[in-house]
Amino acid sequence: MSSNHVIPSYLDHSHLGPWGVYLEQIDRVTPYLGHLSRWVETLKRPKRILIVDVPIERDDGTVAHFEGYRVQHNLSRGPGKGGVRFHQDVTLSEVMALSAWMTVKNAAVNVPYGGAKGGIRVDPKTLSKGELQRMTRRYTSEIGIIIGPNKDIPAPDVNTNEQTMAWMMDTYSMNVGGTATGVVTGKPISLGGSLGRREATGRGVYVVGCEAAIKRGMEIKGSRIAVQGFGNVGGTAARLFAEAGAKVVAVQDHVATVYSEGGLDVPALLAHVEANGSVAGFAAEAVLTSEQFWGVNCDILIPAALEQQINAGNAHRIRAKIILEGANGPTTPEADDILHDKGVLIVPDVIANAGGVTVSYFEWVQDFSSFFWSEDEINQRLTRIMREAFNSIWHVAEEHKTSFRTAAFIVACTRVLQAREVRGLYP
Ligand code: GLU
């Protein structure tokens, strides 16, 4: 890592994790930012970090404390926007990186938001529904001082969903004494949620996958797909690719890896996961070790789980021609280089999974105007935005002869820093 990285003193410098990956990505884009590089320091430090204690009363009468975060990385282009994650491995460095990737993502697809992210360090599977509700509500109250429909708008992420958003919206609304639907997105339809939001991230992955296949002269029909992570993103993307005639040959989740040479029955696998919480136990042709997954013979690989899954340790074994980053930060910079040298086309997270926040933007606009669009209209607008972003970034990559990731960062960071520059410093 180069010496001009600015690492906040409150982070453990030996374990930067995803934040270190993000800083490296910023170093790689800096030479392409021209006079705007004067402002690049802005991108290397979050604007605002809130760490909150989240105490709840457990069902057995004891009191448990959880660590909660909300990080607003950048607000130059608009209010903060980004999900809330419940996971036992959540750390400040991770939430910082995720908030920064939201800044880049929102600018890459040109939705008028800054970047933010939140999380609670908890394994939600260890909580009852009542405990989960109390934790979500207390967390919302604690971060209530910095969120709001015009300030920072949370949404679902890993292990959070429409119900989580309903509790957050209700808690915020009760606290401010009015109904504030626009404070979160990814809400239930009955509460001002948007049609198409639930599957938007997976749909966006599918749309950019089709564009990438065109660039590589590849047919989706008959192509072989491997998916890591079978939650909302991986599951929806797998279903859409299968519906288009692709063979989803391997699926890995946090428990097991299932494989079928001729293609897994995706609807049956989705039903199995719905009933059992994992792909484990599905009647597949073969069960692979988690290591074998990375060497599977496939055309398209979709990491749709957590960060740093594709790294120097497994990148050499990957046989895919295209990688679609459904997850945030799944590929380390070392793996980026290895795969680039192998000629693999990586469609980076900040474009590949931007469908979710794009429809979040539609939801927020619909809430403000109290006028709701049809699902067709939403999917059409989503597809158009994703295609346009993909192709304009593709041109930048060709023009500067950079990776697709660096090109996405050139487009996005230029937008953010132009806003930064023209706003000027206050006071
Ligand atoms: N959590 C999603 C993401 O990582 C969606 C964020 C949003 O809709 O605000 O992009």
Side-chain angles (χ1 to χ4, degrees), residues 52-352:
V52 295
D53 174 38
V54 185
I56 62 158
E57 197 167 318
R58 300 289 304 245
D59 293 343
D60 65 6
T62 60
V63 178
H65 290 259
F66 301 99
E67 231 168 275
Y69 303 97
R70 185 73 187 171
V71 177
Q72 295 173 345
H73 174 259
N74 188 282
L75 306 179
S76 291
R77 298 180 62 256
K81 186 85 192 82
V84 171
R85 166 176 302 203
F86 294 168
H87 195 278
Q88 59 274 18
D89 297 330
V90 161
T91 60
L92 176 59
S93 120
E94 182 192 33
V95 181
M96 282 168 55
L98 292 166
S99 70
W101 284 321
M102 288 309 304
T103 300
V104 179
K105 186 187 308 185
N106 293 332
V109 288
N110 213 1
V111 292
Y113 293 130
K117 199 86 173 197
I120 304 182
R121 190 173 171 85
V122 62
D123 178 358
K125 288 190 290 297
T126 63
L127 301 184
S128 69
K129 189 165 182 196
E131 291 169 338
L132 198 58
Q133 174 167 183
R134 292 197 287 283
M135 184 188 71
T136 304
R137 287 184 180 280
R138 181 60 187 251
Y139 168 73
T140 309
S141 276
E142 294 295 339
I143 65 166
I145 51 174
I146 62 167
I147 63 168
N150 289 310
K151 290 160 79 177
D152 180 4
I153 307 112
D157 197 76
V158 174
N159 292 333
T160 54
N161 56 25
E162 291 164 17
Q163 176 63 78
T164 322
M165 293 306 116
W167 290 330
M168 290 188 76
M169 174 272 178
D170 182 67
T171 305
Y172 181 86
S173 295
M174 299 307 275
N175 286 345
V176 298
T179 301
T181 53
V183 67
V184 289
T185 58
K187 297 179 296 295
I189 303 292
S190 55
L191 209 58
S194 177
L195 295 168
R197 173 61 186 88
R198 193 187 299 163
E199 59 174 27
T201 313
R203 182 174 293 282
V205 170
Y206 171 71
V207 171
V208 296
C210 294
E211 295 300 301
I214 294 170
K215 298 289 185 198
R216 281 285 183 263
M218 209 170 94
E219 289 279 329
I220 293 296
K221 194 169 173 14
S223 65
R224 297 167 60 87
I225 317 257
V227 186
Q228 187 202 32
F230 211 58
N232 181 38
V233 180
T236 303
R239 179 172 63 75
L240 294 173
F241 277 109
E243 282 170 9
K247 286 188 268 196
V248 178
V249 293
V251 172
Q252 175 171 88
D253 70 6
H254 59 294
V255 184
T257 307
V258 290
Y259 179 82
S260 167
E261 180 60 32
L264 295 154
D265 179 345
V266 174
L269 186 57
L270 286 165
H272 177 90
V273 171
E274 176 76 31
N276 302 284
S278 163
V279 301
F282 183 69
E285 207 173 288
V287 174
L288 306 183
T289 64
S290 59
E291 283 307 298
Q292 281 172 324
F293 172 79
W294 300 106
V296 157
N297 176 19
C298 64
D299 302 301
I300 300 179
L301 172 64
I302 307 176
L306 297 172
E307 301 90 44
Q308 293 176 291
Q309 296 298 300
I310 302 178
N311 47 51
N314 58 20
H316 287 287
R317 301 213 305 280
I318 289 173
R319 291 156 79 182
K321 300 174 193 73
I322 294 171
I323 295 178
L324 307 174
E325 293 188 337
N328 291 307
T331 312
T332 65
E334 299 75 41
D336 256 346
D337 292 340
I338 294 166
L339 292 160
H340 189 259
D341 289 347
K342 284 173 50 152
V344 180
L345 169 57
I346 302 179
V347 185
D349 47 6
V350 293
I351 279 293

